[in-house]
Amino acid sequence: MSSRPAHADHQAQDRRNTISARSLVKTFGHGETRVTALDNIDVDIRENEFFTLLGPSGCGKTTLLRLIAGFELPTGGTIELEGKDITALPPHLRPVNTVFQNYALFPHMTVAENVGFGLKMLGKPSGDIDARVKKMLSLVQLEAMANRRTDQLSGGQQQRVALARALAPAPKVLLLDEPLAALDLKLRKNMQLELKSLQHETGITFVFVTHDQEEALTMSDRIAVMRDGAILQIGSPKDIYDRPTHRFVADFIGDINIFEGTVESTEGNQAKVRLRDGETVLARMPEAGTSAGSCALAVRPESLRIAGPGEAAALEGTLENVVYMGAAHNLHLRLGSGEELVVRHGGSTEGIDLSPGAQLGVVIAPGGARVLA
Amino acid sequence: MTAATLTQAQIEERRRTRRTRRALLAPALIIIVAISVLPLGITFVYSFLKPGTYGGVIWEFSTDAYVQFLFERDIFDGTLQFNDSYLTIFMRSIGLAFGATVGALILGFPTAYFIATKPREQRNLWLFLITLPFWTNLLIRTYAMLLILRDEGMINLTLMGVGVIEKPLSILYTDTAVFIGLIYTYLPFMVLPLYASLEKLDFRLVEAGYDLYANRWRVLRHIITPVAKPGIIAGCILVFIPGLGAYITPALLGGGKKLMIGNMIAIQFGSSRNWPFGSAAALILMALVVIALLIYARAAGKGARAHG
Ligand SMILES: Nc1ncnc2c1ncn2[C@@H]1O[C@H](COP(=O)(O)OP(=O)(O)OP(=O)(O)O)[C@@H](O)[C@H]1O
Ligand SMILES: [Mg+2]
């Protein structure tokens, strides 16, 4: 509930786990049609955090959510909720609620009846239900719609009803499966902010699924990046963005330049990497630390800028394309090795030759280049 | 000028479509008049005439047929006395049809749900199996039921073989037999509309129900049933109405002892040679059904408006 300071990362370490999944495996089908949707997942989701599952289509995000909700039983492994094993508990006995992607509002009930449904099933007295429904509807700013039928609402309003309905019983965990996917961009941005503040106000743990990396970065306390049924990296948005441990993660989150190279020498966590076009670059080693040999070098476009006159350039390339981005320019360069390099050049482009085919030197910001595991 | 010619052309066009429409409707109208309005009119007229001695009617106005439904005229002094024997048959028919409707619903709902939750490519096979009995004549199917239900029939032999009972249960020629027969005959009419509405059910709503702390029964009651309501109503109407007028089933399985309306009406046109009374009974039956449907439509309309 309290405002979260910038060093939330360290605080978060001490928080209790709401969900702990261990060696979670889920397969569908038999024989030749067998699909492994989740492959040995271990994850801890902490109390009161905004946790995001991010990954491409088919990587198993929905499956993990459905296992937590109880709609599917795992093929192997366990799930704990606040230290209690809930692996085999049916969904209606779990204090976990879901906001479905298509909202799944009950068509034969009014907005208020939808929101009150969970409390009614929990056997709460009707006076309490009415009060709570009112409170929830005001939380999502839909008081005026209480007696409407759900098919008389706009997409954004239906979305908020789904949210209010899932929050009304005050679950321990709220699961959201791409709840914003059906909304247009503007509404989506608004709802992102609303969701984030709702999570603050209610203090409920949110597990949020998206395949939109920008959405994940702006909303989450922590992100789990998934691929092919496995979690590749879990960390704060800054961790994931600045210190990707896998090439896939680096590539999936934001724009990034990735080059082939060879580690020539290491010193502490710094490595000297020789690129294919012969130049050497200083780069940070991953924590795990790969030994010398061929490696992938990653540099974010915003860690690069065009070298000023007389400045020593780390890389050189031929300008192929300039894309105006509003606040910055994306300069697409071709390196001597044939690899493409994107430089996000903020500020003025005065004094820089931006004609196609111009030879430009590029400077890497300190710590901007990293070797991927 | 151009506008005027256009309008002229449009008028001509419209007239032509109207003519085509009427021409296309004609066959349907003729059929409706020939098989529905006309017989109904004849029945209506006959119900106000006097019975001929050897069947048929005597063209003399009389309300006797309707009076006879509730009263008996004393042969000697001609006074009217209340007679509930026809009313009893009506009540029994309504009770049996109602019971069969409930029974078909209880059996049909899980069946329809089962089919609706099968993979799409398997559903047609199941639906085909449901409609399979229609490939055989109802009379033959009812005789088959008779063989199953009789004292030396399959049910009794099995139960005695297993040792559950010692003497055969006499099911045949009782209300129970008629009841079982009605359910058997009309079950597909319940399953098909139920399936049609359950198939459209979004199973994510069911999951949402479970998610919001509803157990199986509550999901059934609060989510599946309301969504399947149109199918339930259609199924009940499709079982209740033909069940009420059933003829073959009570005739064979009730052994002629347990009459239903259908049999009673048939007897009036047959051995009793009282066509006006048969007509009147048929019209009373129809009036009851129409009234019941109107009451239902009223209630459903109100319910919908209350929600809206
Ligand atoms: N009921 C099922 N039967 C068979 N295979 C399934 C089933 N549900 C999911 N899968 C498979 O499991 C894998 C993971 O699916 P899942 O729905 O979890 O992906 P996702 O990450 O949510 O993808 P998306 O972003 O497209 O929603 C996929 O290969 C999918 O085909
Ligand atoms: Mg999904």
Side-chain angles (χ1 to χ4, degrees):
Chain A
M1 288 285 238
S2 59
S3 67
R4 194 163 301 144
H7 54 275
D9 276 291
H10 301 287
Q11 278 197 337
Q13 306 291 335
D14 312 326
R15 275 194 255 146
R16 286 196 298 148
N17 288 334
T18 301
I19 296 278
S20 299
R22 291 286 168 272
S23 321
L24 215 50
V25 176
K26 178 68 188 176
T27 57
F28 291 105
H30 305 279
E32 279 180 32
T33 58
R34 189 181 163 99
V35 181
T36 305
L38 290 181
D39 192 4
N40 217 358
I41 294 249
D42 286 298
V43 62
D44 290 314
I45 299 168
R46 298 173 190 143
E47 199 174 6
N48 189 13
E49 83 173 331
F50 198 115
F51 190 88
T52 298
L53 300 173
L54 175 66
S57 190
C59 70
K61 306 180 295 287
T62 298
T63 306
L64 181 53
L65 225 53
R66 290 174 62 79
L67 286 176
I68 298 174
F71 299 139
E72 310 268 4
L73 287 178
T75 314
T78 57
I79 305 173
E80 286 184 359
L81 177 76
E82 295 188 335
K84 280 196 300 281
D85 189 337
I86 58 161
T87 315
L89 213 58
H92 70 276
L93 299 178
R94 300 186 186 201
V96 173
N97 286 152
T98 308
V99 177
F100 294 86
Q101 182 174 347
N102 66 336
Y103 317 138
L105 298 178
F106 303 129
H108 54 287
M109 297 182 199
T110 64
V111 167
E113 284 167 339
N114 263 281
V115 175
F117 187 80
L119 295 164
K120 189 171 152 196
M121 292 301 114
L122 285 172
K124 296 275 188 286
S126 65
D128 294 6
I129 297 179
D130 291 347
R132 179 86 182 152
V133 166
K134 238 189 170 136
K135 193 169 161 221
M136 285 299 128
L137 286 178
S138 80
L139 199 63
V140 296
Q141 294 147 38
L142 283 177
E143 299 105 314
M145 308 282 173
N147 294 316
R148 290 258 197 120
R149 284 221 332 250
T150 55
D151 56 10
Q152 298 167 329
L153 301 179
S154 73
Q157 289 167 339
Q158 290 185 16
Q159 153 81 82
R160 294 213 291 268
V161 175
L163 207 58
R165 183 179 73 175
L167 283 171
K172 297 255 164 57
V173 182
L174 188 73
L175 306 173
L176 304 104
D177 193 354
E178 306 202 31
L180 308 180
L183 305 181
D184 64 56
L185 190 66
K186 188 136 184 277
L187 199 53
R188 207 178 155 122
K189 296 277 178 215
N190 281 338
M191 281 306 296
Q192 288 179 1
L193 295 175
E194 272 187 48
L195 267 182
K196 187 74 188 154
S197 70
L198 265 179
Q199 195 256 335
H200 262 261
E201 279 167 48
T202 56
I204 293 171
T205 305
F206 277 34
V207 183
F208 183 87
V209 164
T210 183
H211 54 234
D212 180 340
Q213 44 100 6
E214 199 184 317
E215 194 166 278
L217 289 175
T218 53
M219 300 177 75
S220 322
D221 292 325
R222 286 195 308 149
I223 299 172
V225 183
M226 296 182 66
R227 186 187 59 177
D228 295 342
I231 294 182
L232 296 182
Q233 186 176 1
I234 300 181
S236 68
K238 202 166 162 46
D239 268 338
I240 301 271
Y241 192 81
D242 289 344
R243 292 180 288 280
T245 53
H246 288 70
R247 186 181 176 136
F248 176 83
V249 176
D251 218 5
F252 196 73
I253 311 275
D255 298 329
I256 200 154
N257 299 293
I258 296 178
F259 310 108
E260 306 300 332
T262 349
V263 177
E264 293 215 316
S265 64
T266 53
E267 200 187 312
N269 61 2
Q270 290 285 341
K272 206 182 212 178
V273 179
R274 184 167 296 280
L275 297 181
R276 288 232 306 262
D277 62 356
E279 300 189 67
T280 55
V281 170
L282 279 182
R284 285 169 72 112
M285 290 295 286
E287 267 90 62
T290 46
S291 51
S294 66
C295 69
L297 185 80
V299 194
R300 296 272 177 207
E302 59 270 25
S303 302
L304 296 171
R305 69 183 167 80
I306 301 299
E311 203 174 353
L315 298 164
E316 252 186 43
T318 319
L319 185 63
E320 291 199 328
N321 220 337
V322 181
V323 181
Y324 179 57
M325 304 282 291
H329 290 79
N330 270 2
L331 310 180
H332 293 251
L333 276 64
R334 183 74 57 194
L335 297 183
S337 60
E339 288 163 309
E340 197 192 16
L341 178 72
V342 180
V343 177
R344 181 151 312 147
H345 188 83
S348 160
T349 53
E350 235 172 274
I352 302 175
D353 181 6
L354 289 184
S355 56
Q359 283 289 322
L360 294 174
V362 175
V363 179
I364 303 175
R370 27 183 68 253
V371 174
L372 296 176
Chain B
M1 201 192 83
T2 329
T5 42
L6 254 182
T7 335
Q8 196 58 41
Q10 275 171 346
I11 290 171
E12 185 53 37
E13 170 75 26
R14 220 165 276 163
R15 203 173 288 154
R16 207 176 313 131
T17 41
R18 214 175 303 148
R19 229 177 291 138
T20 336
R21 208 175 289 160
R22 245 179 254 154
L24 287 173
L25 271 177
L29 282 175
I30 290 169
I31 288 173
I32 289 172
V33 169
I35 72 170
S36 169
V37 178
L38 207 59
L40 209 59
I42 294 173
T43 314
F44 184 77
V45 172
Y46 275 24
S47 72
F48 287 102
L49 297 175
K50 285 190 169 167
T53 320
Y54 303 105
V57 286
I58 299 171
W59 286 84
E60 243 175 83
F61 179 79
S62 157
T63 53
D64 271 3
Y66 291 93
V67 174
Q68 194 187 348
F69 186 70
L70 287 177
F71 302 98
E72 201 171 21
R73 203 177 285 278
D74 197 292
I75 333 173
F76 299 109
D77 55 14
T79 52
L80 290 177
Q81 269 165 333
F82 182 69
N83 174 1
D84 66 354
S85 55
Y86 295 124
L87 204 59
T88 309
I89 294 176
F90 261 62
M91 294 317 279
R92 197 196 12 255
S93 298
I94 290 172
L96 275 170
F98 183 79
T101 307
V102 173
L105 182 62
I106 291 170
L107 288 176
F109 198 96
T111 312
Y113 192 86
F114 170 83
I115 300 174
T117 49
K118 285 276 138 197
R120 197 165 286 279
E121 60 274 12
Q122 284 179 32
R123 292 184 202 163
N124 279 338
L125 175 67
W126 287 104
L127 286 179
F128 170 72
L129 290 177
I130 292 289
T131 51
L132 199 59
F134 291 137
W135 291 61
T136 315
N137 184 288
L138 175 61
L139 195 59
I140 294 174
R141 278 185 283 142
T142 309
Y143 268 116
M145 280 304 281
L146 193 142
L147 293 178
I148 293 172
L149 292 176
R150 69 192 173 134
D151 286 5
E152 305 85 38
M154 213 169 74
I155 292 182
N156 279 315
L157 288 184
T158 317
L159 286 179
M160 284 194 291
V162 176
V164 182
I165 49 171
E166 279 175 12
K167 278 189 302 185
L169 301 169
S170 3
I171 306 171
L172 202 55
Y173 309 137
T174 64
D175 278 349
T176 313
V178 178
F179 174 72
I180 293 173
L182 286 178
I183 291 183
Y184 164 72
T185 309
Y186 296 111
L187 190 57
F189 295 110
M190 181 63 86
V191 172
L192 294 178
L194 275 178
Y195 165 77
S197 67
L198 284 174
E199 191 226 16
K200 277 188 256 129
L201 174 70
D202 181 353
F203 282 88
R204 283 170 294 198
L205 294 181
V206 174
E207 283 190 343
Y210 285 129
D211 191 59
L212 291 162
Y213 313 106
N215 58 24
R216 278 159 182 268
W217 285 113
R218 284 166 149 190
V219 166
L220 182 66
R221 193 171 130 220
H222 294 289
I223 292 156
I224 299 174
T225 310
V227 173
K229 202 168 145 200
I232 295 176
I233 290 165
C236 287
I237 290 174
L238 284 180
V239 173
F240 182 75
I241 292 177
L244 196 56
Y247 172 72
I248 291 180
T249 311
L252 289 183
L253 300 180
K257 288 185 291 182
K258 298 291 181 180
L259 288 187
M260 284 180 72
I261 305 173
N263 313 98
M264 187 196 97
I265 293 172
I267 288 172
Q268 302 315 316
F269 286 94
S271 55
S272 282
R273 295 190 183 143
N274 194 341
W275 291 21
F277 182 59
S279 303
L283 287 175
I284 291 171
L285 173 64
M286 202 179 92
L288 284 180
V289 168
V290 169
I291 288 169
L293 284 182
L294 283 180
I295 290 174
Y296 158 71
R298 254 278 181 68
K302 261 192 203 134
R305 239 172 289 132
H307 255 277

